[in-house]
Amino acid sequence: MICVKFSDDMGKNEEGVHLGGPRREFLRLLMDTIARSAMFEGKENCKNLALDSTALRGDWYYISGRAIAVSLVHGGPPPNFLSPTVFSLLVGNSANPALEDIADLELFEKVKKISQSTTLEDLEKSKEPLLDYLANAGCLRPMRSLRDRDLLVHDIVMFQVIHRVQGPFQRFCEGLKTLGVLEKMRRHPDSFRPLFCYEPHMLTADQVDDLFNIHLSPEGSNRRAAEEMVKILAFATGATAVPPIGFSPAPSIEFIHRGDDDFSSTPIFPLANTCVNCIRLPLHVSYQLFKEKFDFALGNTYGFGRV
């Protein structure tokens, strides 16, 4: 397993035993950085490969594919920002991108005018601003009917979204072969699709209840009665979603009672130890007070080295 240590501005490493929290945090930050990089373009949660000369020169497409494979295997988050078009190509299927997959807004508007042409005269006029582009893309040809319009739009989209980025795509695939991930993707595409393509997902109370082992005081004690009044709103493990391989160790919840040795130093806010996936919850006299303190703690925790 990868061992990750975060350091402060002076280069001093965090203290403590590494049990997975820093690794998950690092992989989460890595996936976010890859998604925002110049190697990808398009909508936030539906991105296609972009053509970037700096990334090609540095072989970043290969590195990003390798990083994604490592994240999946080592308990990090999945890269669920890729478009269905890219995923289909990754698993060896054909793809049929739509006009909306063109991320270049200027090019999109010009191609859209071509698609909206209703006469051959309009088609020729809307084609003129793209003559150089069409020549480079191998799409420059006479238009003899409106059927040629649809074929032209299709060819432009295929070139812009797929053919133009074949070099980056091949290096990305080579990176995904790390640890056998691409091979497994092609064997089980339905299982991997939700990991690579975004699907809206909200963490529910039932899922939290299933994830956490709650360490309660003995039944019948005053402490047990107070603990059973607590409701869990969110949890912090260093990951924003359940990793594809699950959590190890399993998430747990402990309670801080007034009078415990360390309660005086943390009298009102919850504590999270992402290395062991454990939340320690202080007990308050009202749910509203608990909610306020929990929300404040979550809102003011920015990750390793940035608290």
Side-chain angles (χ1 to χ4, degrees):
M1 273 296 205
I2 297 172
C3 180
V4 175
K5 289 186 178 181
F6 284 84
S7 62
D8 59 21
D9 293 339
M10 301 300 293
K12 183 177 179 181
N13 291 336
E14 284 188 334
E15 299 295 333
V17 179
H18 186 292
L19 293 175
R23 179 178 65 248
R24 286 189 298 273
E25 177 75 1
F26 166 73
L27 292 173
R28 181 184 66 80
L29 294 172
L30 182 59
M31 292 300 102
D32 288 346
T33 301
I34 290 174
R36 295 194 305 268
S37 73
M39 293 180 288
F40 298 92
E41 63 183 8
K43 299 176 183 176
E44 181 179 1
N45 295 317
C46 188
K47 295 197 173 187
N48 293 302
L49 283 168
L51 184 60
D52 185 80
S53 60
T54 301
L56 278 172
R57 189 163 51 250
D59 207 13
W60 294 354
Y61 295 97
Y62 171 79
I63 294 171
S64 66
R66 190 174 177 88
I68 288 171
V70 168
S71 181
L72 288 171
V73 175
H74 285 259
N80 55 354
F81 61 85
L82 294 179
S83 71
T85 296
V86 173
F87 182 78
S88 292
L89 295 172
L90 287 174
V91 297
N93 295 333
S94 59
N96 188 25
L99 176 58
E100 290 71 22
D101 284 320
I102 296 179
D104 185 319
L105 293 180
E106 184 178 354
L107 177 61
F108 170 79
E109 291 298 330
K110 291 178 180 178
V111 179
K112 186 178 179 180
K113 285 185 178 180
I114 293 177
S115 70
Q116 294 173 340
S117 300
T118 56
T119 66
L120 282 175
E121 183 180 0
D122 289 340
L123 180 56
E124 289 296 337
K125 287 182 179 179
S126 60
K127 194 179 72 171
E128 284 181 6
L130 285 174
L131 291 179
D132 289 341
Y133 177 92
L134 296 177
N136 290 330
C139 302
L140 187 60
R141 56 180 179 267
M143 298 288 104
R144 296 186 173 89
S145 71
L146 289 179
R147 178 177 296 181
D148 292 333
R149 173 201 64 189
D150 298 333
L151 290 174
L152 178 61
V153 171
H154 177 265
D155 288 346
I156 293 173
V157 173
M158 289 293 290
F159 173 79
Q160 183 69 17
V161 178
I162 297 179
H163 303 319
R164 185 178 63 100
V165 293
Q166 275 303 298
F169 177 77
Q170 293 302 324
R171 294 305 294 158
F172 188 57
C173 288
E174 287 298 314
L176 281 172
K177 290 180 181 178
T178 301
L179 302 174
V181 169
L182 185 60
E183 177 189 358
K184 294 297 187 294
M185 288 172 59
R186 290 174 175 173
R187 287 186 182 181
H188 311 282
D190 291 340
S191 297
F192 279 88
R193 187 173 289 104
L195 305 182
F196 281 77
C197 300
Y198 176 75
E199 294 181 0
H201 176 74
M202 292 293 292
L203 189 67
T204 66
D206 287 340
Q207 288 174 314
V208 173
D209 188 44
D210 291 339
L211 278 173
F212 281 89
N213 294 318
I214 303 177
H215 302 293
L216 297 168
S217 299
E219 287 190 28
S221 65
N222 291 335
R223 287 189 169 193
R224 177 63 174 266
E227 290 167 359
E228 288 179 340
M229 295 296 293
V230 175
K231 306 297 182 181
I232 307 304
L233 303 179
F235 66 91
T237 61
T240 56
V242 181
I245 65 170
F247 287 107
S248 179
S252 61
I253 297 171
E254 296 179 354
F255 296 93
I256 306 174
H257 292 265
R258 190 170 297 278
D260 287 350
D261 292 341
D262 59 352
F263 192 86
S264 59
S265 61
T266 56
I268 56 178
F269 297 111
L271 300 174
N273 185 338
T274 59
C275 286
V276 294
N277 300 324
C278 179
I279 294 178
R280 304 191 68 212
L281 299 175
L283 300 177
H284 292 284
V285 295
S286 71
Y287 169 75
Q288 184 60 35
L289 182 60
F290 167 79
K291 183 178 183 299
E292 290 176 1
K293 302 308 179 185
F294 206 111
D295 288 347
F296 181 86
L298 294 181
N300 287 274
T301 301
Y302 301 105
F304 290 87
R306 293 178 292 170
V307 176

